[in-house]
Amino acid sequence: MADKRSVGKPKFNVSQIGGEFALIGRLTEKPASRKIVKGIGDDAAVIKAGSKYLVFTTDTLVAGDHFSLKYFKPEQIGKKAVEINVSDIGAMGAEPNYFLVSLVLPEDIDVKIIEDIYKGMRQKGRKYKIEIIGGNITHGKQFIIDIFMIGEAKKKNLKLRSAARPDDLIFVSGDLGSSAAGLNLFLKNKKGFNRTKKRHLEPEAKFHKVKPFLKYINAMIDVSDGLASEVIRICEQSNTGAVIYPDQVPINPETIKAAEACKKNAMDYALYGGEDFELVYTVSRKNINKVKGFMVGKITREKGVRLFKEGREEPLAKHGYDHFLT
Amino acid sequence: MADKRSVGKPKFNVSQIGGEFALIGRLTEKPASRKIVKGIGDDAAVIKAGSKYLVFTTDTLVAGDHFSLKYFKPEQIGKKAVEINVSDIGAMGAEPNYFLVSLVLPEDIDVKIIEDIYKGMRQKGRKYKIEIIGGNITHGKQFIIDIFMIGEAKKKNLKLRSAARPDDLIFVSGDLGSSAAGLNLFLKNKKGFNRTKKRHLEPEAKFHKVKPFLKYINAMIDVSDGLASEVIRICEQSNTGAVIYPDQVPINPETIKAAEACKKNAMDYALYGGEDFELVYTVSRKNINKVKGFMVGKITREKGVRLFKEGREEPLAKHGYDHFLT
């Protein structure tokens, strides 16, 4: 990188301070405006707007990290860029309305690829009845798609990471680990496992799964970075701890076989892999018969997130939440 | 780039189709929702929200292209990232309210640099009474800051690029070319010229200059990419042409000297350089005594943007609007 300079002290990089998660903590300040219901620290920001809330989120796809043209069709990249932002909006209990697309393009990228990415984005736009209203195009070394999405929530529907209470049970809306398994299949050039690969190529937001019983959900988050990290985020914001029951985490049989083919552990994919975009939500004990999903843990007053394995609790060993540590 | 693939036909890149400007045209569709007052094609998107308009914009800074840590202090990068987005919001006749920050970080970037960039962003936040409400952090090869800004406009204050009328006069709010001259001074390691360099390092949005006479302005845009390209954009959206009078374009004496020191033409900086963030606005003839600024051209029914030089009109020779062509 030509574009770096010493600031006169030893290098002090993001992984040295504890990763992206710690960095966000350092960069966060308490909001001043009373219109800000939720600032930095949730799936989306929330602003009061008369009788409802406006929600705003941004999520970025970086070539070579979040997608590769070696195995993604351009349309799939566009679709994924939209779905991951819709997922963040849904994790707030909100519905998406509009989005802006900010592109960083390598100079020699084929225009057909960009047009096909837009086709994919518009296809998802029709699915969610949302539109591209603007954006920006600039050039850079790496192909990057950054979407900013705008949505709205009824006040009563808003779901924050901070609303988990001790003794809540933790649910997940569907099976985990497939996307990470799919990525590994591609990286290792494995044939077959089409369901698992598709989960990586064509993730879908899951808000529709929880919408029927939204009022019984306390805290909610989507699985961008693995179940473990999402539970940690809920606990950080809710000032609680949690226990995860790995034996109860739903994993599709094909994902297990895919993991075996890659000489990996499917549970690691589920806990630390990410990009499943299932929803993780906490529910008061009295309401557990009102909700659907898979019960995978419980919120505790005791801090820290532990795994319940072989009859006892042990602290989390890995940090799926940090792109800088994986 | 590892991340490219052929789509089975000859390479067809952005400069071959006529640049970024042409690409945006290819990617634009007419908005479907009646709430969308303005979609792709202005400084910001505009959405109806009760008695007012919400405006949304995004602008990106790419290391090595829009800033360099070789001559920018990190705080200045943060300040610039905010000002360029405030400038887009102001060019709509709107005021900024909130922003989200999307970072792409090289893995070994010093955390102190990121913290100082945030310091700069927060300093500008206090200036404009706006707050960071969220964002995203991911990693990539190049350091990129993408800001998504939310603002609002009174309905009567909204200014669109499309509102220029034949026979309008074209004004600019201040002198042009300094930022591009400043950049060239840095690239050529020239000493001195501190005013000019500061214009590149610390650009400022100029909405305050036009706010007192906003109601007499028809179309408006900010100077991101040089006067010529901004006039082209107004004409494209307004279905008009224009003549620019280069002799009347304000250029600071130091900018002229800086250009000479770089063996460049200051007028080229003004017309094709960009990043001045002055406002360009059109005004009906009957109102020209009601506004301030520098009259630099006129809108014509005849299409195309021409320069008035040595007693006659000639078509624009260069395309300052296209990062891919410069």
Side-chain angles (χ1 to χ4, degrees), chain B residues 2-21:
Chain B
D3 240 358
K4 252 167 16 191
R5 70 170 181 190
S6 161
V7 290
K9 56 167 78 178
K11 185 65 62 191
F12 176 52
N13 70 26
V14 174
S15 61
Q16 281 170 323
I17 63 161
E20 179 193 337
F21 205 58

Side-chain angles (χ1 to χ4, degrees), chain A residues 1 3-4 12 26-27 32-33 39-40 64 66 68 102 108 111 115 122 131 133 138 141-142 146 148, chain B residues 1 3-4 12 26-27 32-33 39 58 60 64 66 68 102 108 111 115 122 131 133 141-142 146 148:
Chain A
M1 288 292 300
D3 243 356
K4 254 169 11 190
F12 175 51
R26 278 171 180 257
L27 300 176
S33 164
I40 299 171
H66 301 99
S68 170
S102 184
D108 55 355
V111 169
E115 288 179 325
R122 288 217 158 85
E131 288 186 66
I133 55 170
T138 190
K141 291 176 191 160
Q142 212 170 2
D146 195 8
F148 293 109
Chain B
M1 287 292 302
D3 240 358
K4 252 167 16 191
F12 176 52
R26 279 171 180 259
L27 299 177
S33 164
T58 173
T60 310
H66 302 99
S68 170
S102 184
D108 54 355
V111 169
E115 288 179 325
R122 289 217 157 84
E131 288 186 66
I133 55 170
K141 291 177 190 159
Q142 212 170 2
D146 194 8
F148 168 48

